[in-house]
Short mmCIF file of all heavy atoms in Angstrom, two decimals:
data_model
loop_
_atom_site.label_atom_id
_atom_site.label_comp_id
_atom_site.label_asym_id
_atom_site.label_seq_id
_atom_site.Cartn_x
_atom_site.Cartn_y
_atom_site.Cartn_z
N LEU A 1 73.07 88.09 105.65
CA LEU A 1 71.85 87.82 106.40
C LEU A 1 72.17 87.21 107.76
O LEU A 1 71.69 87.69 108.80
CB LEU A 1 70.95 86.87 105.59
CG LEU A 1 69.58 86.53 106.16
CD1 LEU A 1 68.57 86.30 105.04
CD2 LEU A 1 69.63 85.27 107.04
N GLN A 2 73.01 86.17 107.77
CA GLN A 2 73.36 85.53 109.03
C GLN A 2 74.18 86.46 109.92
O GLN A 2 74.05 86.46 111.14
CB GLN A 2 74.14 84.24 108.78
CG GLN A 2 73.32 83.15 108.11
CD GLN A 2 73.57 83.15 106.61
OE1 GLN A 2 73.86 84.17 106.01
NE2 GLN A 2 73.45 81.97 106.01
N GLY A 3 75.04 87.28 109.29
CA GLY A 3 75.85 88.21 110.06
C GLY A 3 75.00 89.24 110.80
O GLY A 3 75.24 89.53 111.97
N PHE A 4 74.00 89.78 110.13
CA PHE A 4 73.12 90.74 110.78
C PHE A 4 72.32 90.09 111.90
O PHE A 4 72.19 90.66 112.99
CB PHE A 4 72.16 91.34 109.74
CG PHE A 4 71.04 92.14 110.35
CD1 PHE A 4 71.29 93.36 110.97
CD2 PHE A 4 69.74 91.66 110.34
CE1 PHE A 4 70.26 94.09 111.54
CE2 PHE A 4 68.71 92.39 110.91
CZ PHE A 4 68.97 93.61 111.51
N CYS A 5 71.81 88.89 111.65
CA CYS A 5 71.01 88.21 112.67
C CYS A 5 71.85 87.86 113.90
O CYS A 5 71.41 88.06 115.04
CB CYS A 5 70.39 86.95 112.08
SG CYS A 5 69.20 87.26 110.78
N ALA A 6 73.07 87.36 113.67
CA ALA A 6 73.94 87.00 114.79
C ALA A 6 74.34 88.24 115.57
O ALA A 6 74.36 88.23 116.82
CB ALA A 6 75.17 86.27 114.28
N GLY A 7 74.68 89.33 114.87
CA GLY A 7 75.07 90.56 115.56
C GLY A 7 73.94 91.15 116.37
O GLY A 7 74.13 91.60 117.50
N THR A 8 72.73 91.15 115.80
CA THR A 8 71.57 91.68 116.52
C THR A 8 71.25 90.85 117.75
O THR A 8 70.98 91.39 118.84
CB THR A 8 70.34 91.71 115.58
OG1 THR A 8 70.64 92.52 114.43
CG2 THR A 8 69.13 92.29 116.30
N SER A 9 71.29 89.53 117.60
CA SER A 9 71.05 88.64 118.73
C SER A 9 72.05 88.88 119.85
O SER A 9 71.68 88.99 121.03
CB SER A 9 71.11 87.19 118.26
OG SER A 9 71.05 86.29 119.34
N THR A 10 73.33 88.99 119.49
CA THR A 10 74.38 89.20 120.49
C THR A 10 74.22 90.54 121.17
O THR A 10 74.37 90.66 122.40
CB THR A 10 75.76 89.11 119.82
OG1 THR A 10 75.88 87.85 119.16
CG2 THR A 10 76.87 89.25 120.85
N MET A 11 73.92 91.59 120.40
CA MET A 11 73.75 92.93 120.97
C MET A 11 72.64 92.94 122.01
O MET A 11 72.80 93.49 123.11
CB MET A 11 73.45 93.93 119.86
CG MET A 11 73.15 95.34 120.34
SD MET A 11 72.83 96.48 118.97
CE MET A 11 71.33 95.76 118.28
N VAL A 12 71.51 92.33 121.68
CA VAL A 12 70.36 92.32 122.60
C VAL A 12 70.68 91.54 123.87
O VAL A 12 70.43 92.02 125.00
CB VAL A 12 69.12 91.73 121.90
CG1 VAL A 12 67.99 91.51 122.90
CG2 VAL A 12 68.66 92.65 120.78
N LEU A 13 71.26 90.36 123.73
CA LEU A 13 71.46 89.48 124.88
C LEU A 13 72.58 89.96 125.79
O LEU A 13 72.45 89.93 127.02
CB LEU A 13 71.73 88.06 124.39
CG LEU A 13 70.56 87.40 123.65
CD1 LEU A 13 70.97 86.03 123.11
CD2 LEU A 13 69.35 87.26 124.57
N VAL A 14 73.70 90.40 125.21
CA VAL A 14 74.80 90.90 126.05
C VAL A 14 74.42 92.23 126.68
O VAL A 14 74.77 92.50 127.84
CB VAL A 14 76.10 91.02 125.22
CG1 VAL A 14 77.22 91.62 126.07
CG2 VAL A 14 76.53 89.67 124.68
N GLY A 15 73.69 93.07 125.94
CA GLY A 15 73.22 94.33 126.53
C GLY A 15 72.31 94.10 127.72
O GLY A 15 72.43 94.76 128.75
N ALA A 16 71.38 93.15 127.59
CA ALA A 16 70.49 92.83 128.71
C ALA A 16 71.27 92.29 129.90
O ALA A 16 70.96 92.59 131.06
CB ALA A 16 69.43 91.83 128.26
N SER A 17 72.32 91.49 129.61
CA SER A 17 73.15 90.96 130.69
C SER A 17 73.86 92.07 131.44
O SER A 17 73.93 92.07 132.68
CB SER A 17 74.17 89.97 130.12
OG SER A 17 73.55 88.89 129.46
N SER A 18 74.40 93.04 130.71
CA SER A 18 75.10 94.16 131.35
C SER A 18 74.17 94.97 132.23
O SER A 18 74.50 95.31 133.37
CB SER A 18 75.72 95.06 130.28
OG SER A 18 76.73 94.40 129.56
N LEU A 19 72.99 95.27 131.71
CA LEU A 19 72.04 96.07 132.49
C LEU A 19 71.54 95.30 133.71
O LEU A 19 71.21 95.90 134.74
CB LEU A 19 70.86 96.47 131.61
CG LEU A 19 71.19 97.43 130.45
CD1 LEU A 19 69.95 97.67 129.59
CD2 LEU A 19 71.73 98.75 130.99
N GLY A 20 71.51 93.97 133.62
CA GLY A 20 71.08 93.16 134.75
C GLY A 20 72.18 92.86 135.75
O GLY A 20 71.93 92.26 136.79
N GLY A 21 73.43 93.26 135.43
CA GLY A 21 74.54 93.05 136.34
C GLY A 21 75.21 91.70 136.21
O GLY A 21 75.95 91.29 137.11
N TYR A 22 74.98 91.00 135.10
CA TYR A 22 75.57 89.68 134.92
C TYR A 22 76.74 89.76 133.94
O TYR A 22 76.56 90.22 132.81
CB TYR A 22 74.54 88.69 134.37
CG TYR A 22 73.50 88.28 135.38
CD1 TYR A 22 72.31 88.98 135.49
CD2 TYR A 22 73.72 87.21 136.23
CE1 TYR A 22 71.35 88.62 136.42
CE2 TYR A 22 72.77 86.82 137.16
CZ TYR A 22 71.58 87.54 137.25
OH TYR A 22 70.64 87.18 138.18
N PRO A 23 77.92 89.31 134.34
CA PRO A 23 79.03 89.22 133.38
C PRO A 23 78.70 88.19 132.31
O PRO A 23 78.17 87.12 132.61
CB PRO A 23 80.22 88.79 134.24
CG PRO A 23 79.62 88.13 135.44
CD PRO A 23 78.31 88.81 135.67
N MET A 24 79.02 88.51 131.05
CA MET A 24 78.66 87.64 129.94
C MET A 24 79.75 87.70 128.87
O MET A 24 80.26 88.78 128.58
CB MET A 24 77.31 88.06 129.35
CG MET A 24 76.82 87.20 128.20
SD MET A 24 76.65 85.45 128.62
CE MET A 24 75.53 85.55 130.02
N SER A 25 80.08 86.55 128.29
CA SER A 25 81.08 86.49 127.24
C SER A 25 80.44 86.74 125.88
O SER A 25 79.57 85.99 125.45
CB SER A 25 81.77 85.12 127.24
OG SER A 25 82.63 85.02 126.13
N THR A 26 80.89 87.80 125.21
CA THR A 26 80.34 88.13 123.90
C THR A 26 80.67 87.06 122.87
O THR A 26 79.84 86.72 122.02
CB THR A 26 80.88 89.49 123.44
OG1 THR A 26 80.61 90.47 124.44
CG2 THR A 26 80.22 89.93 122.14
N SER A 27 81.89 86.51 122.91
CA SER A 27 82.25 85.47 121.95
C SER A 27 81.39 84.22 122.13
O SER A 27 81.04 83.54 121.17
CB SER A 27 83.73 85.10 122.09
OG SER A 27 83.99 84.48 123.33
N HIS A 28 81.04 83.94 123.39
CA HIS A 28 80.16 82.82 123.72
C HIS A 28 78.81 82.98 123.01
O HIS A 28 78.33 82.09 122.31
CB HIS A 28 79.97 82.82 125.24
CG HIS A 28 79.51 81.52 125.80
ND1 HIS A 28 79.62 81.23 127.15
CD2 HIS A 28 78.93 80.43 125.25
CE1 HIS A 28 79.13 80.02 127.38
NE2 HIS A 28 78.71 79.52 126.25
N VAL A 29 78.22 84.17 123.19
CA VAL A 29 76.90 84.43 122.62
C VAL A 29 76.97 84.56 121.10
O VAL A 29 76.11 84.05 120.38
CB VAL A 29 76.28 85.70 123.25
CG1 VAL A 29 74.90 85.96 122.68
CG2 VAL A 29 76.20 85.56 124.77
N MET A 30 78.01 85.24 120.60
CA MET A 30 78.14 85.43 119.16
C MET A 30 78.30 84.09 118.44
O MET A 30 77.68 83.86 117.39
CB MET A 30 79.32 86.34 118.85
CG MET A 30 79.61 86.53 117.35
SD MET A 30 78.26 87.36 116.46
CE MET A 30 78.68 89.08 116.79
N SER A 31 79.13 83.21 118.97
CA SER A 31 79.34 81.92 118.33
C SER A 31 78.04 81.14 118.23
O SER A 31 77.72 80.56 117.18
CB SER A 31 80.36 81.09 119.12
OG SER A 31 81.61 81.73 119.15
N MET A 32 77.27 81.12 119.31
CA MET A 32 76.01 80.39 119.29
C MET A 32 74.95 81.08 118.43
O MET A 32 74.11 80.41 117.81
CB MET A 32 75.48 80.22 120.72
CG MET A 32 76.35 79.32 121.59
SD MET A 32 76.47 77.60 120.98
CE MET A 32 78.06 77.63 120.14
N SER A 33 75.00 82.40 118.35
CA SER A 33 74.07 83.12 117.47
C SER A 33 74.38 82.84 116.00
O SER A 33 73.48 82.69 115.17
CB SER A 33 74.12 84.62 117.75
OG SER A 33 73.71 84.92 119.07
N VAL A 34 75.69 82.78 115.67
CA VAL A 34 76.10 82.40 114.32
C VAL A 34 75.62 80.98 114.01
O VAL A 34 75.13 80.69 112.91
CB VAL A 34 77.63 82.51 114.16
CG1 VAL A 34 78.09 81.82 112.88
CG2 VAL A 34 78.06 83.97 114.15
N LEU A 35 75.76 80.10 114.99
CA LEU A 35 75.30 78.72 114.82
C LEU A 35 73.80 78.68 114.53
O LEU A 35 73.35 78.00 113.60
CB LEU A 35 75.62 77.92 116.07
CG LEU A 35 75.10 76.47 116.12
CD1 LEU A 35 75.73 75.65 115.00
CD2 LEU A 35 75.38 75.85 117.47
N GLY A 36 73.01 79.41 115.31
CA GLY A 36 71.56 79.43 115.10
C GLY A 36 71.18 79.99 113.75
O GLY A 36 70.31 79.43 113.06
N ALA A 37 71.83 81.10 113.35
CA ALA A 37 71.53 81.70 112.05
C ALA A 37 71.95 80.78 110.91
O ALA A 37 71.28 80.70 109.87
CB ALA A 37 72.23 83.05 111.93
N GLY A 38 73.07 80.07 111.08
CA GLY A 38 73.53 79.14 110.06
C GLY A 38 72.60 77.95 109.90
O GLY A 38 72.27 77.54 108.78
N VAL A 39 72.17 77.39 111.02
CA VAL A 39 71.25 76.24 110.98
C VAL A 39 69.93 76.63 110.31
O VAL A 39 69.31 75.82 109.61
CB VAL A 39 71.01 75.70 112.40
CG1 VAL A 39 69.87 74.69 112.42
CG2 VAL A 39 72.28 75.06 112.94
N ALA A 40 69.51 77.87 110.50
CA ALA A 40 68.24 78.32 109.94
C ALA A 40 68.26 78.33 108.42
O ALA A 40 67.21 78.16 107.78
CB ALA A 40 67.91 79.72 110.46
N VAL A 41 69.43 78.53 107.80
CA VAL A 41 69.51 78.67 106.35
C VAL A 41 70.17 77.46 105.69
O VAL A 41 69.62 76.85 104.77
CB VAL A 41 70.26 79.96 105.98
CG1 VAL A 41 70.30 80.13 104.46
CG2 VAL A 41 69.59 81.18 106.61
N HIS A 42 71.37 77.10 106.16
CA HIS A 42 72.10 75.98 105.57
C HIS A 42 72.72 75.12 106.69
O HIS A 42 73.91 75.22 106.96
CB HIS A 42 73.21 76.48 104.63
CG HIS A 42 72.70 77.26 103.46
ND1 HIS A 42 71.95 76.69 102.46
CD2 HIS A 42 72.85 78.57 103.13
CE1 HIS A 42 71.64 77.61 101.55
NE2 HIS A 42 72.17 78.76 101.94
#
């Protein structure tokens, strides 16, 4: 559950960054998305 949520969050946010012309670190976003999904459950 958390893996799907973190992956979806990262895909949306990094994809929007690319289309907007902003360099973005995927590990940065993925780590924080995992954190958010983890806090939501445990």
Side-chain angles (χ1 to χ4, degrees):
L1 184 148
Q2 294 97 330
F4 169 70
C5 295
T8 302
S9 173
T10 304
M11 176 179 64
V12 171
L13 295 175
V14 177
S17 301
S18 295
L19 294 176
Y22 288 91
M24 181 57 57
S25 174
T26 306
S27 66
H28 200 163
V29 181
M30 176 64 85
S31 298
M32 293 298 100
S33 297
V34 167
L35 175 63
V39 169
V41 182
H42 297 294

